């Protein structure tokens, strides 16, 4: 394969020009070619692989922390889920129409200390809500 490359006219011309250079220039050109090769190897292979490794390790650590938090709060979440389903006072907060639902959401967000960015109706008995600067943990619990 190397002989096929050397048989190409353009490559032969480059080899002839290289052979005509003084010895010091040939050595400098070899050092420069090695430096360029190492630079390409670093920026095209090593650095992207290292960045991907760091991102994957960070994602794994975040997933582990999330799992630990979920396991630590499992009882609380189950208790809140069971209490919400068995409560008869939940029907007292059930709004009669869309306006009452929006008022209930606005009031509940204010009581929880959450800032509503915007909200819009989504069907007859639902609305979509966007929150500003709300910590995830406060939203879950």
């Amino acid at each position: 394969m190397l002989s096929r490359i050397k048989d190409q006219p353009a490559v032969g011309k480059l080899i002839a020009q290289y052979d005509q250079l003084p010895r010091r220039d040939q050595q400098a050109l070899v050092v420069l070619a090695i430096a360029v090769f190492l630079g390409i190897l670093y920026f095209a292979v090593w650095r992207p692989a290292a960045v991907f490794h760091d991102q994957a390790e960070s994602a794994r650590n975040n997933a582990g922390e999330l799992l630990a938090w979920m396991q630590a709060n499992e009882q609380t979440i189950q208790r809140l889920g069971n209490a919400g389903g068995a409560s008869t006072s939940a029907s007292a907060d059930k709004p009669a129409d869309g306006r009452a639902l929006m008022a209930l959401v606005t009031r509940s967000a204010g009581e929880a200390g959450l800032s509503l960015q915007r909200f819009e109706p989504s069907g007859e008995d639902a609305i979509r809500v966007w929150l500003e600067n709300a910590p995830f943990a406060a939203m879950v619990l």
Side-chain angles (χ1 to χ4, degrees), residues 38-91:
L38 291 175
I40 289 172
L41 184 66
Y42 175 76
F43 286 109
V45 177
W46 183 264
R47 190 168 176 203
V51 168
F52 176 76
H53 175 267
D54 293 343
Q55 289 174 345
E57 188 174 19
S58 175
R60 186 194 70 209
N61 290 340
N62 288 342
E65 290 173 6
L66 178 61
L67 177 63
W69 181 86
M70 289 169 62
Q71 289 173 342
N73 292 310
E74 181 179 11
Q75 297 298 325
T76 305
I77 293 170
Q78 286 179 350
R79 181 176 43 84
L80 289 174
N82 292 337
S87 172
T88 57
S89 66
S91 62

Side-chain angles (χ1 to χ4, degrees), residues 18 20-29:
Y18 176 79
Q20 291 177 357
L21 291 174
R23 184 76 179 143
R24 286 182 62 96
D25 289 352
Q26 287 179 353
Q27 290 172 343
L29 191 58

Side-chain angles (χ1 to χ4, degrees), residues 3-141:
S3 64
R4 274 187 154 178
I5 293 174
K6 286 183 180 182
D7 290 342
Q8 298 294 325
V11 175
K13 192 182 279 189
L14 288 175
I15 291 173
Q17 286 179 345
Y18 176 79
D19 289 338
Q20 291 177 357
L21 291 174
R23 184 76 179 143
R24 286 182 62 96
D25 289 352
Q26 287 179 353
Q27 290 172 343
L29 191 58
V30 168
V31 169
L32 179 64
I34 291 171
V36 168
F37 174 74
L38 291 175
I40 289 172
L41 184 66
Y42 175 76
F43 286 109
V45 177
W46 183 264
R47 190 168 176 203
V51 168
F52 176 76
H53 175 267
D54 293 343
Q55 289 174 345
E57 188 174 19
S58 175
R60 186 194 70 209
N61 290 340
N62 288 342
E65 290 173 6
L66 178 61
L67 177 63
W69 181 86
M70 289 169 62
Q71 289 173 342
N73 292 310
E74 181 179 11
Q75 297 298 325
T76 305
I77 293 170
Q78 286 179 350
R79 181 176 43 84
L80 289 174
N82 292 337
S87 172
T88 57
S89 66
S91 62
D93 283 343
K94 187 173 183 179
D97 61 359
R99 283 189 157 176
L101 178 61
M102 287 187 189
L104 175 64
V105 168
T106 305
R107 182 180 47 120
S108 298
E111 290 172 359
L114 299 172
S115 174
L116 294 177
Q117 181 179 10
R118 79 177 210 210
F119 53 92
E120 63 186 29
S122 177
E124 292 184 21
D125 59 349
I127 63 171
R128 291 185 181 153
V129 178
W130 287 261
L131 301 171
E132 277 185 5
N133 300 325
F136 180 75
M139 294 305 305
V140 172
L141 297 177

